[in-house]
């Protein structure tokens, strides 16, 4: 086949890029080689637009065992226990086929985690949909939620936390990010770096079909009117086979048979073999006739680019084939030696005894293109909203409107479709600030949460970037966990657009700053560009997934009030920042102005003090204040156990709307038993922490002095009705 | 007491039930479905999960496995058999328990804590509970909507073979407290000899106060006596 | 030889899935719709040249595995 | 007027269900079995006397709801 300009373009390669291919090969590529270059050089695999910025993120710390660069990040939680975790996007496939797209997203991220030797112990997700009234939203939400559940429930790993958000910006490009967290022994972690020559390269798992060919390139292109045509590239997931693959891999990992192991994710056999060889500075030769195929007459091109799910590539120690084969036979999975390592530093592909393709590994990996794309700084608005000029609305009515809105309604409709309890170590399920998972057979636990704030990131990317890290940190603190490290999924528009690239660079700058200051390193992550349609880019939506440690799990701390007559205090200062707040958006449709500032010094101090109070068992419930401000956070604490509050108006002359709906950062609400109050105040004072006594819990009514009085049953009902019509 | 937990490809509550059994002092063994004989045991448990991916019908494929013949033999000689969730579905597919489990009436997977009422304490599985005791217990299934024919329905009533019914917090049994559409709110049933119990809720998830509650403990302590 | 096997719920068994499909179609504006019942469909191919013998085999497959006779009916048709 | 609609996975799409059913039937001793593919079946009844019009309607139902055109094919037959 002659390589025409059209073919090059269809493979998503630019003219310059093609010239480089010719240079590396010292000849024209054939179609197989072109396909392989296109798969390895696209945005999804090469990180060509993001690399220069990602390098700036802090990735080190004494808790970090493995930072970015492997299948997932690894952190140390003591006693030879390690936690392995990562988040990944499956946005484009999920928009085309929501059920399978979301399901295979979960399957893919699970493989990233168990390929490193971890037993997955928790799944999380961050899902963003368009406006609830958009005609596609309902079926997309239905499909995505049942796809996430369908995969996780079947494989038997609890889905314990996440976020579900709606915003017009995702009307034609939803976001589906899945995060997996696993547990391994620190001295039993597996990496993808190949070692030694003439070692067997083994294919295990499902057979290869024609599904998902060029899935990775699809994830690197914008949608347009013709995206319907790209449909057949959707992969279908088989959680049942993944369960077998998981058990078989973990069984084989018990001894020392494996030199290196890599899941076949995006760009399947191509990226897995190239990555292993590249990391080990080796060559690899594959005999493609041996690849187990599901369909007849598959070509080398199709085999190398297929994204069939539930497959792994393993490099075995000498003489371990039979032992390994027995294990995969037991689990009814394919096991075939399809190639060998060598020292040629080439990827060599044979088919029917003939060499069909030969490419220097270096050209596919280290030498892949890297772009320092043009970007422009965000012009910030200085607009302040004058509250006095806004149309008057009663506090109570605004509260009701917000907690019954799609974004603030109770998410049980979503989370009840996920098995949250399987494995019997979920100490805290969805619904609180973070989920808590006990380490099996131990008395320690981890806390996990995912967070994003696209509105903040849109209006001020640096503050937004800082804010999501801080909010994620706060969510872990609120359940009594010490935050250890994060993973991040960076969902952005078209990187060739200077504004988008600016949002990316500046969000990352914010993330970097917060992570550095909070000593909260990034250990893994994923970038998803080209989210948007016809030149309309989504809001910048970085998603942060955090993991924290609870050294000794006793009663898990929830955000729901526990007793009548407890004191309620706010830690952190309330200034009443309304711009970019949920209040202005939901009530007045104002999306102008900049988001609240992040004072990292206060953030850290407040968080550390709250964590100390929780660890000293002085707190009955805790909740961070985020979207919606003080009043929404209070109402969430009331709704759980239907325990009301009596809240005073602020002492100072602050405007009530600003006080109750302002979204100032670094704040927590704590429920404190009367007898602990003195002790708590002493600790707060001695740490120079600003706090306010704002009232106490009571029976029956959610009450703010003369402004709001709602029965707690009513409050519960209002918060729980939106999804009923769904 | 000796127990055996049968593990099918796709079972995923096998470890959970084993932990619960061991906590309750059972001497437990895991039995891979390809085994052709069963060790002598007092209790055989078929755990929850998605055996064979729930393909075709939940429990259908596992119900045809070779180890199931051994389970049937053991059941006929009086061995105690407990099927939880997918285990219940498998037991109905083998015919050891009558009826079947249809899709939940809302056509969605449901995971939540529900209340069930103990309907009969005169069995090896429920003797440590009080009659009409209300338990808070976790369910997690796609197909838990119990259905059976008229004749069997009458037999269930007459012979007192209903073990648990879904109810609300205060014990009312109604459509409002029926999470999945099950006939007569049935959450679990015995066979005629009451040596077999199939139930949709997960007692093994309720044996640890840090994780949930201990409402499931008495099921296992009933058995150990 | 190829056969189609269609498996449907017995008349007296509630078909929640069919019902939901039916209401959804009505809501989509298909006023002329009278009823929908949902079932399973299998395309089974066997190495057997004698149609009668093949049908017996397939019937056996149905009764042994494909069909839950408590709630389902089935029909075999050569295709 | 009654129609049967059979919905099957497109040829290139993974059919894990069919695969499991096939191996199980083999294990049960059906050596002559060559292949099984599983799909969905709908029995749709419409108040429409003109067959051509009815078929158009049902085709619309398929494309709008019953069939996932990305991974499934379908066939409408009058019964
Ligand atoms: N898609 C989802 N999957 C699992 N849990 C979810 C999902 N969406 C929301 N939740 C849960 O609902 C609760 C409320 O979410 P959110 O308002 O985003 O919390 P926060 O503001 O504390 O981050 C959290 O416990 C979260 O884990
Ligand atoms: Mg929170």
């Amino acid at each position: 086949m002659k390589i025409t300009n059209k073919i090059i373009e269809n493979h998503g390669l630019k003219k310059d890029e093609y010239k480089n291919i010719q240079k590396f090969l010292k000849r024209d590529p054939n179609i197989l080689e072109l396909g392989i270059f296109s798969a390895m050089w696209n945005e999804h695999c090469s990180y060509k637009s993001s690399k220069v910025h990602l390098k700036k993120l802090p990735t080190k710390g004494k808790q970090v065992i493995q930072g970015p660069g492997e299948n997932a990040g690894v952190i140390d939680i003591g006693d030879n226990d390690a936690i392995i975790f990562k988040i990944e996007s499956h946005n484009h496939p999920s928009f085309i086929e929501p059920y399978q797209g979301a399901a295979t997203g979960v399957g893919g991220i699970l493989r990233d985690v168990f390929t490193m030797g971890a037993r997955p112990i928790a799944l999380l997700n961050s899902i963003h949909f368009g406006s609830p009234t958009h005609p596609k939203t309902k079926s997309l939400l239905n499909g995505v939620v049942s796809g996430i559940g369908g995969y996780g429930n079947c494989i038997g790993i609890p889905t314990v936390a996440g976020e579900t958000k709606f915003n017009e910006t995702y009307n034609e490009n939803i976001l589906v990010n899945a995060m997996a967290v696993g547990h391994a022994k620190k001295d039993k972690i597996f990496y993808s770096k190949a070692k030694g020559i003439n070692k067997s390269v083994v294919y295990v798992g499902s057979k290869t079909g024609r599904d998902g060919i060029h899935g990775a390139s699809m994830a690197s292109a914008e949608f347009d009117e013709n995206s319907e045509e790209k449909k057949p590239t959707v992969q279908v997931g088989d959680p049942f086979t993944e369960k077998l693959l998981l058990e078989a891999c973990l069984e084989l990992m018990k001894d020392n048979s494996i030199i290196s192991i890599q899941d076949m994710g995006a760009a399947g056999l191509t990226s897995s073999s190239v990555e292993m060889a590249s990391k080990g500075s080796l060559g690899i030769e594959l005999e493609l006739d041996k690849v187990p195929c599901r369909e007849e007459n598959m070509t080398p091109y199709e085999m190398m680019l297929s994204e069939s799910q539930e497959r792994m590539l393993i490099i075995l120690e000498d003489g371990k084939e039979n032992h390994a084969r027995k294990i995969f036979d037991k689990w009814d999975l394919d096991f075939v030696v399809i190639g060998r390592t060598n020292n040629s530093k080439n990827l060599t592909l044979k088919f029917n005894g003939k060499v069909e393709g030969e490419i220097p590994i270096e050209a596919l990996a280290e030498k892949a293109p890297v772009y320092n794309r043009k970007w422009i700084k965000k012009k910030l608005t200085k607009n302040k909203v004058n509250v006095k000029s806004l149309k008057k609305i009663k506090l109570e009515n605004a509260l009701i409107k917000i907690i019954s809105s799609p974004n603030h309604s109770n998410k049980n409709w979503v989370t009840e479709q996920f098995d949250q309890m399987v494995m019997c170590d979920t100490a805290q399920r969805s619904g609180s600030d973070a989920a808590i998972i006990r380490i099996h057979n131990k008395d320690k636990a981890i806390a996990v949460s995912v967070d994003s704030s696209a509105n903040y990131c849109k209006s001020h990317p640096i503050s937004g970037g800082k804010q999501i890290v801080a909010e994620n940190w706060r969510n872990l603190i609120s359940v009594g966990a010490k935050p250890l490290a994060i993973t991040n999924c960076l969902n952005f528009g078209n990187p060739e657009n200077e504004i988008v690239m600016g949002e990316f660079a500046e969000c990352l700058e914010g993330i970097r700053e917060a992570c550095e200051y909070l000593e909260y390193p990034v250990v893994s992550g994923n970038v998803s560009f080209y989210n948007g349609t016809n030149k309309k880019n989504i809001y910048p939506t970085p998603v942060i997934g955090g993991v924290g440690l609870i050294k000794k799990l006793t009663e898990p701390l929830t955000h729901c009030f526990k007793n009548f007559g407890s004191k309620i205090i706010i830690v952190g200062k309330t200034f009443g920042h309304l711009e970019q707040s949920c209040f202005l958006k939901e009530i007045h449709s104002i999306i102008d102005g900049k988001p609240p500032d992040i004072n990292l010094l206060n953030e850290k101090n407040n968080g550390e003090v709250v964590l100390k109070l929780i660890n000293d068992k002085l707190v009955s419930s805790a909740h961070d204040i985020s979207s919606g401000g003080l009043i929404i956070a209070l109402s969430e604490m009331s709704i759980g156990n239907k325990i009301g509050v009596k809240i005073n108006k602020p002492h100072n002359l602050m405007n009530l709307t600003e006080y109750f709906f302002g979204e100032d950062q670094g704040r927590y609400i704590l429920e404190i038993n009367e007898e602990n109050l003195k002790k708590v105040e002493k600790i707060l004072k001695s740490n120079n922490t600003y706090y306010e006594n704002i009232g106490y819990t009571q029976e029956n009514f959610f009450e703010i002095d003369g402004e709001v009085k709602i029965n707690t049953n009513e409050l519960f009902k209002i918060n729980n009705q939106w999804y009923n019509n769904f | 007491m000796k127990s055996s937990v049968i593990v099918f490809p796709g079972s995923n509550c096998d470890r959970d039930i084993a932990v619960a059994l061991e906590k309750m002092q059972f001497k437990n063994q895991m039995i891979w479905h390809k085994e052709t004989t069963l060790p002598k045991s007092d209790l055989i448990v078929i755990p929850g999960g998605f055996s064979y991916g729930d393909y075709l019908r939940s429990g259908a494929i596992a119900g045809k496995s070779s180890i199931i013949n051994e389970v049937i033999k053991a059941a006929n000689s009086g061995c105690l058999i407990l099927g939880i969730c997918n285990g219940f579905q498998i037991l109905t597919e083998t015919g050891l328990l009558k009826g079947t489990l249809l899709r939940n009436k809302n056509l969605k997977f449901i995971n939540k804590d529900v209340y069930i009422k103990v309907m009969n304490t005169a069995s090896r599985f429920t003797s440590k509970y009080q009659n009409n005791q209300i338990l808070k217990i976790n369910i997690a299934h796609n197909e838990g909507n119990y259905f059976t024919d008229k004749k069997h329905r009458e037999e269930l009533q007459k012979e007192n073979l209903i073990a648990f019914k879904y109810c609300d917090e205060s014990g009312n049994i109604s459509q409002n407290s029926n999470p999945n559409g099950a006939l007569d709110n049935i959450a679990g049933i015995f066979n005629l000899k009451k040596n077999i119990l199939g139930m949709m809720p997960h007692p093994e998830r309720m044996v640890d106060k840090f994780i949930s509650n201990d409402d499931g403990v008495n099921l296992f302590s009933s058995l150990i006596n | 030889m190829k056969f189609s096997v269609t498996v449907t719920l017995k008349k007296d068994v509630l078909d929640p899935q069919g019902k939901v499909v039916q209401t959804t179609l009505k809501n989509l504006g298909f006023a002329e719709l009278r009823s929908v019942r949902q079932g399973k469909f299998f395309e089974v191919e066997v190495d057997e040249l004698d149609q009668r013998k093949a049908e017996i085999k397939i019937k056996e497959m149905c009764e042994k595995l494909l069909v839950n006779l408590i709630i389902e009916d089935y029909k075999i048709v050569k295709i």
Side-chain angles (χ1 to χ4, degrees), chain A, chain B, chain C:
Chain A
M1 187 190 284
K2 194 174 154 9
I3 307 292
T4 60
N5 284 340
K6 185 80 196 150
I7 292 177
I8 294 166
E9 194 189 318
N10 282 346
H11 280 78
L13 290 160
K14 301 271 145 79
K15 279 208 182 77
D16 288 352
E17 292 175 340
Y18 185 72
K19 282 204 188 108
N20 273 331
I21 293 174
Q22 291 168 312
K23 214 173 75 199
F24 283 126
L25 291 179
K26 303 189 183 79
R27 58 177 165 83
D28 285 346
N30 60 29
I31 185 75
L32 169 64
E33 292 164 333
L34 187 79
I36 287 171
F37 270 104
S38 117
M40 290 304 296
W41 282 14
N42 70 33
E43 193 61 61
H44 192 81
C45 288
S46 71
Y47 288 87
K48 57 189 170 191
S49 306
S50 53
K51 233 178 203 162
V52 290
H53 299 280
L54 292 176
K55 267 203 231 123
K56 298 175 190 155
L57 292 175
T59 60
K60 299 214 161 61
K62 62 179 189 316
Q63 71 276 42
V64 178
I65 297 173
Q66 173 69 54
E70 274 290 334
N71 284 302
V74 186
I75 57 172
D76 192 340
I77 56 162
D79 321 308
N80 199 28
D81 290 312
I83 294 296
I84 303 185
F85 64 103
K86 185 172 187 264
I87 190 167
E88 198 155 82
S89 65
H90 231 210
N91 305 338
H92 294 90
S94 302
F95 184 71
I96 291 175
E97 212 309 282
Y99 184 95
Q100 293 298 344
T104 52
V106 172
I109 194 63
L110 281 170
R111 284 193 295 286
D112 274 331
V113 162
F114 73 75
T115 197
M116 295 194 74
R119 178 171 286 282
I121 57 174
L123 284 165
L124 296 87
N125 63 82
S126 165
I127 49 185
H128 289 72
F129 300 92
S131 158
T133 53
H134 187 273
K136 283 186 190 150
T137 298
K138 187 172 171 174
S139 70
L140 287 169
L141 176 64
N142 259 306
V144 165
V145 169
S146 48
I148 290 172
Y151 211 96
N153 300 344
C154 180
I155 192 167
I157 294 152
T159 303
V160 297
E163 50 170 10
T164 309
K165 294 189 173 169
F166 302 90
N167 185 318
E168 311 78 84
T169 186
Y170 310 109
N171 277 355
E172 300 295 334
N173 194 120
I174 61 170
L175 301 183
V176 176
N177 295 177
M179 171 170 163
V181 183
H183 169 245
K185 290 285 157 211
K186 191 177 157 183
D187 55 10
K188 263 301 202 186
I189 293 167
F190 292 81
Y191 296 96
S192 57
K193 177 177 170 181
K195 262 183 282 192
I197 58 169
N198 206 24
K199 306 288 179 196
S200 306
V201 177
V202 184
Y203 172 117
V204 299
S206 286
K207 292 191 195 319
T208 297
R210 293 197 173 91
D211 28 359
I213 290 175
H214 273 245
S217 332
M218 175 173 78
S220 307
E222 284 177 72
F223 279 140
D224 53 37
E225 296 81 13
N226 298 328
S227 39
E228 303 279 312
E229 282 171 28
K230 293 180 182 150
K231 276 173 176 178
T233 60
V234 185
Q235 313 98 312
V236 170
D238 179 9
F240 168 60
T241 297
E242 178 120 320
K243 167 75 175 165
L244 305 184
L245 188 61
L246 162 67
E247 298 300 339
C249 287
L250 292 182
E251 198 171 323
L252 180 59
M253 284 164 170
K254 283 192 186 134
D255 60 25
N256 301 316
S257 304
I258 296 176
I259 297 174
S260 84
I261 174 165
Q262 169 76 37
D263 68 297
M264 295 191 216
L269 197 47
T270 295
S271 70
S272 53
S273 53
V274 169
E275 244 160 76
M276 289 170 116
S278 154
K279 287 200 178 120
S281 301
L282 291 171
I284 206 163
E285 181 179 301
L286 301 180
E287 289 179 64
L288 295 176
D289 326 58
K290 296 194 174 152
V291 171
C293 287
R294 204 171 73 221
E295 289 150 41
E296 282 162 28
N297 303 325
M298 284 190 59
T299 64
Y301 179 93
E302 290 169 328
M303 289 180 210
M304 288 307 288
L305 297 181
S306 158
E307 292 194 352
S308 289
Q309 301 287 296
E310 293 94 23
R311 305 177 298 160
M312 294 263 192
L313 207 58
I314 302 177
I315 298 184
L316 277 182
E317 290 285 4
D318 294 335
K320 295 287 186 181
E321 280 91 352
N322 285 338
H323 164 65
R325 185 188 307 275
K326 263 196 207 128
I327 292 174
F328 285 88
D329 279 353
K330 169 184 164 190
W331 293 97
D332 296 321
L333 293 165
D334 273 306
F335 175 103
V336 186
V337 178
I338 59 165
R340 308 225 147 246
T341 59
N342 57 38
N343 55 15
S344 71
K345 299 201 180 183
N346 285 336
L347 173 69
T348 310
L349 303 172
K350 285 188 170 168
F351 190 61
N352 293 330
K354 246 181 68 204
V355 174
E356 293 283 337
E358 182 143 45
I359 309 175
I361 298 273
E362 202 183 44
L364 295 169
E366 303 101 272
K367 295 267 171 77
V370 174
Y371 297 127
N372 194 349
R373 294 197 190 275
K374 279 221 183 79
W375 61 274
I376 47 178
K377 275 183 122 42
K378 176 90 187 177
K379 284 215 190 66
L380 304 173
T381 69
K382 296 218 174 60
N383 295 354
K384 281 291 273 179
V385 171
N386 181 357
V387 227
K388 304 238 166 61
S389 70
L390 294 174
K391 220 176 109 218
K392 287 265 170 312
I393 175 164
K394 277 183 65 184
L395 280 192
E396 180 164 321
N397 294 344
L399 166 67
I400 289 174
K401 184 149 186 219
I402 291 174
I403 64 167
S404 60
S405 71
N407 278 320
H408 286 83
S409 283
N410 184 305
K411 305 291 191 306
N412 282 351
W413 182 91
V414 174
T415 57
E416 280 178 2
Q417 298 186 51
F418 305 149
D419 191 344
Q420 307 188 45
M421 286 291 285
V422 61
M423 297 182 91
C424 290
D425 284 313
T426 310
Q428 183 142 292
R429 311 175 207 176
S430 283
S432 250
D433 290 319
I436 300 175
I437 311 296
R438 185 175 58 187
I439 302 303
H440 196 59
N441 274 332
K442 303 243 167 132
D443 54 9
K444 64 180 156 191
I446 55 164
V448 288
S449 172
V450 292
D451 296 277
S452 65
S453 304
N455 290 335
Y456 288 0
C457 291
K458 178 71 188 167
S459 71
H460 192 184
I462 296 185
S463 299
K466 275 195 263 188
Q467 191 274 342
I468 38 172
V469 175
E471 179 173 352
N472 182 263
W473 200 73
R474 249 177 264 147
N475 276 325
L476 299 184
I477 298 265
S478 301
V479 300
K482 180 179 164 36
L484 290 181
I486 63 166
T487 181
N488 64 115
C489 195
L490 306 171
N491 305 282
F492 286 78
N494 185 339
E496 294 157 52
N497 174 319
E498 295 174 6
I499 296 171
V500 170
M501 208 52 219
E503 290 168 347
F504 184 80
E506 294 195 296
C507 276
L508 248 76
E509 174 54 23
I511 293 173
R512 178 198 68 73
E513 211 180 299
C515 287
E516 238 159 48
Y517 196 89
L518 300 173
E519 295 168 81
Y520 199 24
V522 179
V523 297
S524 60
N526 174 248
V527 180
S528 170
F529 278 129
Y530 297 100
N531 289 290
T533 311
N534 290 333
K535 306 280 176 276
K536 214 164 156 233
N537 294 296
I538 61 156
Y539 279 15
T541 317
V543 175
I544 301 292
V547 176
L549 177 65
I550 298 173
K551 275 213 174 115
K552 188 162 172 20
L553 178 68
T554 49
E555 190 89 7
L557 187 73
T558 71
H559 72 292
C560 309
F561 288 130
K562 304 291 176 318
N563 305 300
F564 301 124
S566 312
K567 294 291 174 198
I568 303 172
I569 62 177
I570 316 182
V571 174
K573 198 159 185 164
T574 302
F575 300 95
H577 184 103
L578 270 191
E579 286 78 19
Q580 290 303 325
S581 68
C582 164
F583 174 83
L584 286 185
K585 178 155 198 274
E586 294 284 343
I587 308 293
H588 297 287
S589 307
I590 297 176
I591 50 169
D592 215 11
K594 72 189 220 359
D597 286 328
I598 303 286
N599 178 327
L600 287 169
L601 183 103
N602 286 340
E603 190 70 59
K604 190 169 185 193
N605 184 47
N606 295 356
E608 283 172 352
V609 176
V610 168
L611 187 57
K612 178 175 167 43
L613 294 174
I614 293 172
N615 284 335
D616 290 352
K617 307 270 172 252
L618 296 169
V619 177
S620 319
S621 62
H623 192 21
D624 69 307
I625 301 181
S626 60
S627 172
L630 172 59
I631 194 170
I632 299 300
L634 279 170
S635 70
E636 288 165 352
M637 296 176 86
S638 265
I639 285 165
N641 293 325
K642 298 185 186 164
I643 291 178
V645 292
K646 173 98 175 150
I647 303 293
N648 316 316
K649 284 189 201 163
H651 309 297
N652 49 20
L653 293 173
M654 194 182 282
N655 172 289
L656 283 185
T657 303
E658 289 179 330
Y659 182 77
F660 282 109
F661 290 100
E663 296 186 0
D664 312 295
Q665 299 292 300
R667 294 183 298 160
Y668 301 81
I669 305 176
L670 306 180
E671 176 191 5
I672 311 281
N673 260 344
E674 181 86 62
E675 73 253 29
N676 290 330
L677 190 64
K678 284 259 148 58
K679 251 196 240 166
V680 168
E681 293 190 316
K682 208 174 129 210
I683 294 175
L684 288 166
K685 279 181 190 142
S686 68
N687 282 284
N688 294 319
T689 310
Y690 184 89
Y691 72 94
E692 274 175 69
N693 283 296
I694 60 164
Y696 53 88
T697 58
Q698 64 173 10
E699 280 185 72
N700 298 335
F701 288 100
F702 183 90
E703 205 173 341
I704 295 172
D705 249 0
E707 297 287 335
V708 178
K709 188 167 181 182
I710 310 176
N711 186 293
T712 49
N713 286 320
E714 186 60 23
L715 203 62
F716 175 89
K717 232 175 70 198
I718 294 167
N719 186 232
N720 274 279
Q721 65 201 11
W722 187 75
Y723 278 96
N724 290 348
N725 308 321
F726 216 75
Chain B
M1 287 252 308
K2 284 196 187 134
S3 59
S4 299
V5 173
I6 316 273
V7 184
F8 292 103
S11 295
N12 63 32
C13 301
D14 44 329
R15 187 186 80 175
D16 302 354
I17 184 75
V19 168
L21 289 167
E22 274 154 25
K23 192 169 173 176
M24 300 304 295
Q25 309 301 321
F26 280 84
K27 282 191 67 157
N28 186 52
Q29 274 190 66
M30 306 304 269
I31 307 297
W32 182 237
H33 72 114
K34 284 182 185 165
E35 308 274 323
T36 46
T37 56
L38 270 171
K40 214 179 140 20
S41 19
D42 309 287
L43 170 71
I44 298 171
V45 184
I46 308 186
F50 283 71
S51 59
Y52 296 94
D54 261 4
Y55 296 140
L56 188 61
R57 295 180 305 275
S58 50
I61 311 275
K64 297 293 175 280
S65 60
S66 55
I67 194 77
I68 278 297
N69 296 324
E70 299 304 306
V71 176
I72 294 173
K73 269 190 228 154
N76 290 339
S77 64
C79 180
L80 295 168
I81 316 269
L82 171 62
I84 302 169
C85 198
N86 189 228
F88 186 12
Q89 295 161 342
I90 294 170
L91 288 176
T92 62
E93 280 286 340
T94 61
L96 283 173
L97 288 174
K98 288 187 209 159
T100 189
L101 292 138
L102 303 171
R103 276 192 74 179
N104 297 342
K105 70 175 171 210
N106 70 349
L107 301 179
K108 287 188 166 33
F109 187 93
I110 305 172
N111 173 228
K112 62 177 177 186
D113 288 348
V114 298
Y115 295 94
I116 60 173
K117 195 184 248 183
V118 182
M119 304 302 293
N120 182 357
T121 53
S123 86
R124 286 295 310 276
F125 298 92
T126 51
S127 60
K128 282 279 166 74
Y129 289 114
Q130 310 284 313
N131 249 326
N132 292 327
Q133 190 177 338
I134 298 163
L135 315 175
K136 187 178 181 183
I137 193 160
N138 197 249
I139 56 168
H141 56 247
N142 241 322
E143 279 115 6
N145 180 351
Y146 184 76
F147 177 83
T148 195
D149 59 30
K150 207 160 151 250
K151 207 172 120 230
H152 181 231
R153 191 177 173 182
E154 281 159 12
E155 180 182 88
L156 287 173
Q157 309 278 358
K158 208 172 100 229
E159 305 288 335
N160 216 351
L161 300 179
I162 298 174
F164 307 105
K165 283 190 177 189
Y166 299 108
C167 62
D168 66 14
E169 197 170 354
S170 26
N172 302 310
I173 296 168
S174 70
Q175 271 318 303
N176 283 336
S177 58
N178 186 341
N180 52 28
L183 184 80
D184 296 336
N185 281 43
I186 288 173
I189 58 163
F190 301 112
N191 65 335
L192 200 52
K193 282 185 355 206
K194 285 203 231 145
N195 65 321
I196 305 177
L197 169 65
M199 61 191 295
M200 288 315 293
H202 285 275
E204 80 280 14
R205 296 185 179 187
M206 317 315 269
V207 295
D208 187 340
K209 280 210 144 141
F210 279 161
I211 298 299
S212 46
N213 64 30
D214 47 18
D215 284 2
V217 165
N218 277 345
L219 189 125
F220 299 101
S221 58
S222 301
L223 283 164
I224 202 99
N225 280 329
Chain C
M1 210 171 258
K2 254 194 196 167
F3 294 83
S4 91
V5 178
T6 49
V7 181
T8 45
L9 283 175
K10 287 194 174 148
K11 280 268 141 38
D12 56 336
V13 178
L14 196 70
D15 173 18
Q17 211 157 333
K19 228 175 75 189
V20 167
V21 170
Q22 186 165 331
T23 16
T24 313
L25 284 173
K26 286 261 183 211
N27 290 344
L28 285 173
F30 291 101
E32 62 287 347
L33 179 71
R34 187 177 292 174
S35 76
V36 184
R37 286 187 74 79
Q38 179 162 351
K40 287 181 201 140
F41 167 78
F42 301 91
E43 194 182 279
V44 186
E45 194 174 351
V46 286
D47 285 327
E48 171 62 71
L49 299 174
D50 178 337
Q51 177 166 351
R52 223 184 46 89
K53 275 194 193 150
E55 275 175 6
I56 289 174
K57 273 290 163 205
I58 291 181
K59 185 152 187 275
E60 216 183 311
M61 291 180 198
C62 287
E63 313 243 316
K64 269 208 179 146
L65 183 71
L66 301 180
V67 184
N68 180 349
L69 296 168
I70 304 168
I71 47 167
E72 293 169 334
D73 289 328
Y74 65 96
K75 215 163 104 186
I76 303 171
V77 176
K78 184 164 179 321
I79 48 177

